[in-house]
Amino acid sequence: MKPILHCLMLFAVTLIIAPVKAAPPNIIYILADDLGYGDLGSYGQKLTNTPRLDKMAAQGIRFIQHYAGAPSCHPSRCVLFTGKHAGHGRIRANSDLPLLPEDFTISQMMKKAGYATGGVGKWALGQQETTGAPWVKGMDEFLGYLDQTLAHSYYPDHLWKDGQRMEIPENKDGQRKVYSHDLFAEQSLDFIRRHKDGPFFFYAALTIPHAEMAVPEDSLAEYRGKWPEPKTFPGSKTYCPQDQPRAVRAAMITRMDRDIGRILDLLDELKIADNTLVMFSSDNGPITAGGSAPEFFDSNGPLRDLKFKLYEGGIRVPFIARWPGKIKAGAESKLVSDFADMMPTFAEVSGAEAVKGDGRSILPTLLGKDAEQEKREVFYWEAAPQQALRKGDWKIYRRAPNAPIELYDLSKDIGETTDLATSMPEKVAELEKLMMESRMESSEFPLAKKEKKKKKH
């Protein structure tokens, strides 16, 4: 018996002193829709209340030079999920084109690494029964809009859930009783509760404040009558049934902020906050919305132009990350980064295997190890026929293949007010060469439309 007892004692001691392997961290990525660089209090907003996101920034890190993948939703999400910038990606403008089988996504990568995967909101990478549907691209669970056009309404009569059409009878025949964002908030909380033992990857592609201006009355109450409203604006009754675009837009953003706070509170309640990386960003810049933004709210902050354009206002977006105990509270980063960096970052965080794309992991910056951060030399964006490229602080922009190239020094001119192209032709030539080398031709999204040959009579 003594040898047996001796072995058991040694085994017990080994268990006690052996290091316990940490559980893989959970990842939650939250994406707003058409939220501008200046729409959060932590980025200078003075009129709209965003206390929970501002607190998240105070508890984590705020990036001031982060870019979306494109200036509109469909291609921007393609960059995010595939890790390939718009010069290499399959989708380069809003369209019905789905991802194809060879387009490996973040959700597939995380699922392959043993993560439970889920999402809500606007997918826009492939509709039902296509090769780009969420349940084909690695999502164990998904509730939301597949089509970005249907996502213009906050009171749809149906959504898609796990491959099946989910009817919303309360919204049939034009009724407006169930607010889609509220369904997404509840599904997010439910998913986290059910997968609290982890690891999980959750993608909350919220549709606020995109398209239709509509919000439940309990949120509108905070802003009703707070500001003068435009007397007329395009498609008022269709676009903003409540006829108060400024108050409604602010209330929408505050409601979204509240529900993000509920997610963060749940992580604390479940005691998994320290093992959960939470990120927040926007898919592109703001859009003119019936006098509500960005003119009134200064939604693009100091940046030039809006959604659909490759000036800074169309692609530079807020980006906040929180990971208690890992990310230093109140940090700010000037690292230039974009959506293509998310796939390698999530791979390094989780131990997953990523395909080689255009991004670089920003985990060193998140952890405060700036000296270890590999920096990308060149950033490229495309929204046919537009092109833009950034190298260091220099950025060039061309609105069409035959248009003149514009040159800006972002270190001194974040608003892109002074075009230096005429005075610096050598710099323009250098960056133009890089710009053309940074893309592959796309038959679906050519930079220039080919002229049709005239038939001979």
Side-chain angles (χ1 to χ4, degrees):
M1 286 294 292
K2 286 186 177 180
I4 296 175
L5 287 173
H6 182 67
C7 289
L8 288 173
M9 290 176 65
L10 284 175
F11 179 67
V13 171
T14 302
L15 287 177
I16 292 170
I17 64 173
V20 177
K21 187 177 181 181
N26 308 307
I27 298 172
I28 299 175
Y29 186 89
I30 305 170
L31 189 68
D33 200 330
D34 291 4
L35 189 82
Y37 185 79
D39 269 325
L40 302 180
S42 52
Y43 283 81
Q45 179 58 222
K46 303 298 184 185
L47 301 177
T48 303
N49 297 323
T50 56
R52 297 312 305 268
L53 282 166
D54 297 342
K55 183 178 179 180
M56 180 178 164
Q59 294 174 332
I61 186 169
R62 184 178 69 102
F63 287 74
I64 61 174
Q65 297 194 89
H66 186 70
Y67 291 90
S72 61
C73 72
H74 196 190
S76 194
R77 284 163 167 75
C78 179
V79 175
L80 174 64
F81 264 76
T82 65
K84 296 179 181 179
H85 67 54
H88 294 151
R90 184 168 310 282
I91 300 166
R92 307 189 187 188
N94 284 352
S95 70
D96 292 326
L97 189 69
L99 294 178
L100 295 182
E102 57 266 35
D103 296 318
F104 187 67
T105 66
I106 281 177
S107 41
Q108 287 174 299
M109 177 186 78
M110 300 305 291
K111 184 177 175 67
K112 188 176 178 182
Y115 276 60
T117 58
V120 294
K122 183 165 79 173
W123 181 247
L125 293 173
Q127 298 196 42
Q128 172 74 348
E129 297 181 355
T130 71
T131 54
W135 31 88
V136 177
K137 285 300 179 185
M139 283 293 187
D140 294 329
E141 302 179 31
F142 182 83
L143 169 66
Y145 305 92
L146 302 184
D147 185 315
Q148 61 255 33
T149 302
L150 179 62
H152 288 185
S153 169
Y154 287 88
Y155 294 93
D157 62 10
H158 75 279
L159 292 169
W160 290 91
K161 185 174 183 180
D162 304 339
Q164 302 296 319
R165 179 178 166 123
M166 186 185 85
E167 302 295 335
I168 307 176
E170 298 90 341
N171 290 346
K172 290 289 184 184
D173 302 319
Q175 296 184 84
R176 300 170 68 82
K177 295 181 179 179
V178 176
Y179 192 59
S180 61
H181 169 83
D182 293 350
L183 295 178
F184 301 151
E186 294 305 321
Q187 177 68 13
S188 300
L189 297 171
D190 179 62
F191 181 93
I192 293 167
R193 288 190 188 99
R194 287 187 287 109
H195 295 91
K196 60 183 175 60
D197 295 330
F200 66 80
F201 165 71
F202 192 76
Y203 170 57
L206 307 178
T207 52
I208 288 176
H210 174 255
E212 178 188 30
M213 293 288 102
V215 73
E217 290 294 326
D218 62 323
S219 286
L220 183 57
E222 180 179 348
Y223 294 99
R224 185 187 296 280
K226 193 167 185 178
W227 309 294
E229 298 285 356
K231 293 181 179 180
T232 60
F233 49 94
S236 58
K237 285 295 182 184
T238 302
Y239 164 79
C240 184
Q242 291 152 302
D243 279 342
Q244 302 173 73
R246 291 172 181 169
V248 170
R249 186 178 189 275
M252 291 170 74
I253 293 172
T254 297
R255 192 179 190 88
M256 175 185 69
D257 179 84
R258 177 202 71 183
D259 290 331
I260 291 171
R262 293 171 67 199
I263 290 173
L264 298 175
D265 287 345
L266 180 61
L267 297 177
D268 291 335
E269 176 190 322
L270 297 174
K271 301 188 186 324
I272 59 173
D274 290 356
N275 199 42
T276 305
L277 170 61
V278 183
M279 291 178 164
F280 173 85
S281 192
S282 176
D283 66 343
N284 45 248
I287 190 169
T288 297
S292 69
E295 300 88 348
F296 182 74
F297 290 101
D298 198 19
S299 294
N300 53 354
L303 309 180
R304 177 177 177 178
D305 229 309
L306 309 168
K307 177 180 179 178
F308 297 120
K309 294 294 183 67
L310 289 177
Y311 289 114
E312 294 290 286
I315 52 177
R316 193 186 290 210
V317 290
F319 180 43
I320 300 167
R322 188 192 88 154
W323 192 359
K326 301 289 194 303
I327 294 176
K328 182 181 177 182
E332 178 184 284
S333 177
K334 295 180 180 179
L335 178 74
V336 184
S337 57
D338 75 357
F339 280 11
D341 295 320
M342 295 303 102
M343 177 177 271
T345 299
F346 295 167
E348 188 172 6
V349 168
S350 64
E353 183 179 351
V355 295
K356 184 170 177 56
D358 294 304
R360 303 289 183 273
S361 170
I362 63 167
L363 183 59
T365 294
L366 294 175
L367 300 180
K369 301 176 181 179
D370 293 353
E372 299 176 18
Q373 178 64 56
E374 181 184 0
K375 295 181 180 179
R376 289 169 62 187
E377 184 179 18
V378 174
F379 291 79
Y380 176 82
W381 300 271
E382 185 169 307
Q386 302 173 80
Q387 292 176 278
L389 177 137
R390 176 171 176 169
K391 180 182 179 183
D393 289 321
W394 293 104
K395 179 183 173 186
I396 57 171
Y397 168 76
R398 180 159 57 189
R399 60 181 174 80
N402 295 321
I405 287 179
E406 301 169 28
L407 173 68
Y408 301 100
D409 180 357
L410 296 178
S411 68
K412 302 174 182 176
D413 184 20
I414 191 175
E416 296 169 295
T417 60
T418 305
D419 180 3
L420 302 173
T422 302
S423 60
M424 304 187 70
E426 292 183 359
K427 178 60 70 175
V428 170
E430 172 200 342
L431 298 182
E432 181 183 17
K433 182 175 182 294
L434 271 178
M435 186 166 70
M436 298 315 296
E437 292 172 348
S438 295
R439 70 180 304 273
M440 299 186 300
E441 190 55 59
S442 168
S443 58
E444 291 91 353
F445 304 102
L447 283 180
K449 294 181 179 179
K450 294 181 180 179
E451 294 184 9
K452 293 182 180 179
K453 293 182 179 180
K454 294 182 179 180
K455 293 182 179 179
K456 294 182 179 180
H457 295 284

